[in-house]
Amino acid sequence: MTKRSTPTVLGQLRRQEPMRIVVVGGVAGGMSAAARARRLDEHAEIVVLEQGAYVSFANCGLPYHLSGEIAARDDLLLHTPESLAESLSLDVRTGHRVTGIDRHSQKVTIQSGDSTYALPYDALVLSPGAVAVRPPIEGLDHPAVHTLRTVPDVDALRERIQDLLAAREEAQQAPPSAVVIGAGFIGLEAVEALTARGLQVHLVELADHVLPPLDAELAPLLADELAAHGVDLRLGVSAQAVTEAVSVSPRATPAGRQPGEMSVSRGGALREPAEVRPPGAVTVTLSDGATLAADLVVVNVGVRPASALAVDAGLDLGPTGAIRVDGDQHTSDPHIWAVGDAVEVTQAITGARIPVPLAGPANRQGRRAADSICGHHTTPQAPVLGTAIVRVFGLTAATTGANQATLRRAGIAHEVMHIHPGDHAGYYPGAERLHLVASFAPDGTLLGAQGVGRAGVDKRIDILAVAIRAGMSADDLAELELAYAPPYGSAKDPVNMLGFVAQNVLDGTMPQWQAQDLDTAVATTLVLDVRSRPEYAEGHLDGALNIPHLELRQRLDEVTASAKGRPVSVHCASGVRSYLATRVLLSKGLDARNLSGGWLTLKAVHPHL
Ligand code: FAD
């Protein structure tokens, strides 16, 4: 898959005089580019310009320092300008912001403190990252409102939390509270961290489920986990305003009202039942009129590419505002490369050109840019899957490829499979249920997969990510040979099971119906519930005929009589027993189909059941 690229003019220049490579942004993509360039060219002058106070810091580790799991702040700082000078002979300048690019004279303009200077470059790498989206919320500038993107951000949050906890402990009051706005990957990590620090957390999300990139039928598992850890989840609403709550000391509490009964927001209206509010407390007003008392607010509603420099320099941008690059990270200027959150990539399944703000692509792109600059052979940028993972208390949620919403929007035909196997052999202690959803094209090609569970999710999603990249189909998944011993997996691994199920569906061995088709199934077919009587008694669909699967062969006449010529929509708890039942019915000439994912998926899609 590697190609030998034509050595660049810059690579040839190297032989005559040292090339100057200037890198804008000193974290994931930028530092990968700088370090790789040094490894390829010992003579180049490499200058890294970073507007912040830190370079090469672990932004992905910030939530875990907030929680206290990464106890030492220094562990986040992987390098300093001094260590980079010593180990890689890099000229790293923190507090230096690039304010302009003069493409004609090949110079960047830099602001450092009060001074401004110009620096010529032979090759320029842009890795300025992304900027946080600022939602239209009144009062977003209040000091209680935080973001979680940088080391200073996490410092400020930790300081505020320490002050709040100390004040509450001294006054023997209830724990402080936080509102997290946005239930994406970083929002969820913030929720987990704040809860671990002892805060009462409210989580506000505009979409109708947490972690919007996750398919809707998996998200309720995360919602339940959040609730089990005391998180107050507000879905389908937006935060509208953050207003300062008037701090009411016990002595100042108005006559007739006990401390903690009510607090008053600036503007006078009684807002929320509350206790004595410490200085800096706020009230967050939601679009449904509800109000939440908070001692701090964390906003994480997504990012957009930091492409302002590129815009001003007249570089080509894509429709999403991300910098347009070719397979070697070249921008529309032959002397400028761009990487990371600021650039657009090709989404592997849809072919859409979009930014994918993840650390893995940024690091690989930085390496590739350096290869290209130094005239080394490059591995062209592969289409990006957007493989991502997050821990939500005891659960892991992960995704790769296209989710169902993306496939629908792109008009890509697909069939969705849901399975709920154990993460390892059921007879070996400690097996946990895994929830996997995968979409396949009609020809069997794997298009996307997602998983939620307490164990084994990471490995299955990583395998499935490789499978998508390799263009594998259901047949390939069925034949994958994966490591197995009872503590680790099953002889038929969940990944093999996905392949088997997809084979059965796609070749007609097991027709299926989806939880989303419930109304049609109830209205036009016989619903046959083949779970045990106790399971049925715990909850079932109105009008469903209950015949436990082991009794089915003896009671086929009942099915035929009840169906009255209609198709039979079979289900059990997870889809396994109903698969067996569906096969029995089909072999008797009935028009039968199995519910994908069974009652577990049905309940997730229709929580009222
Ligand atoms: P960054 O790493 O953000 O670096 C850009 C740098 O450029 C910044 O330091 C910025 O100050 C600097 N800069 C910008 N403009 C200028 C300028 N004009 N002059 C000088 N300097 C400038 N991804 C994952 O895959 N997994 C995770 O678990 C994960 N967790 C994350 C957790 C948090 C809290 C955050 C914030 C991000 C997380 N990410 C994660 C995303 C990942 O960190 C980014 O995708 C990655 O860092 C992008 O690399 P980048 O080089 O494009 O930008």
Side-chain angles (χ1 to χ4, degrees), residues 24-30 49-52 57 59-60 62-63 96-98 127-130 148-149 186 189 309 339-342 357-360 362:
V24 182
V27 191
L49 301 162
E50 167 56 53
Q51 63 185 5
F57 67 86
N59 34 18
C60 307
L62 297 175
H96 286 236
R97 190 163 74 88
V98 175
S127 188
L148 180 52
R149 292 197 53 75
I186 297 172
E189 288 175 346
L309 271 179
V339 304
D341 290 358
L358 288 171

Side-chain angles (χ1 to χ4, degrees), residues 402-467:
N403 63 17
Q404 292 173 54
T406 303
L407 292 171
R408 277 195 299 272
R409 267 199 311 274
I412 297 175
H414 61 283
E415 189 76 44
V416 186
M417 319 292 157
H418 303 81
I419 63 170
H420 311 275
D423 74 298
H424 63 249
Y427 60 81
Y428 183 85
E432 296 281 359
R433 200 189 272 281
L434 256 177
H435 306 270
L436 288 174
V437 180
S439 298
F440 294 83
D443 69 357
T445 305
L446 180 62
L447 301 174
Q450 312 202 328
V452 172
R454 295 190 185 281
V457 173
D458 51 348
K459 116 166 150 174
R460 272 50 184 237
I461 291 300
D462 278 348
I463 295 168
L464 292 163
V466 174

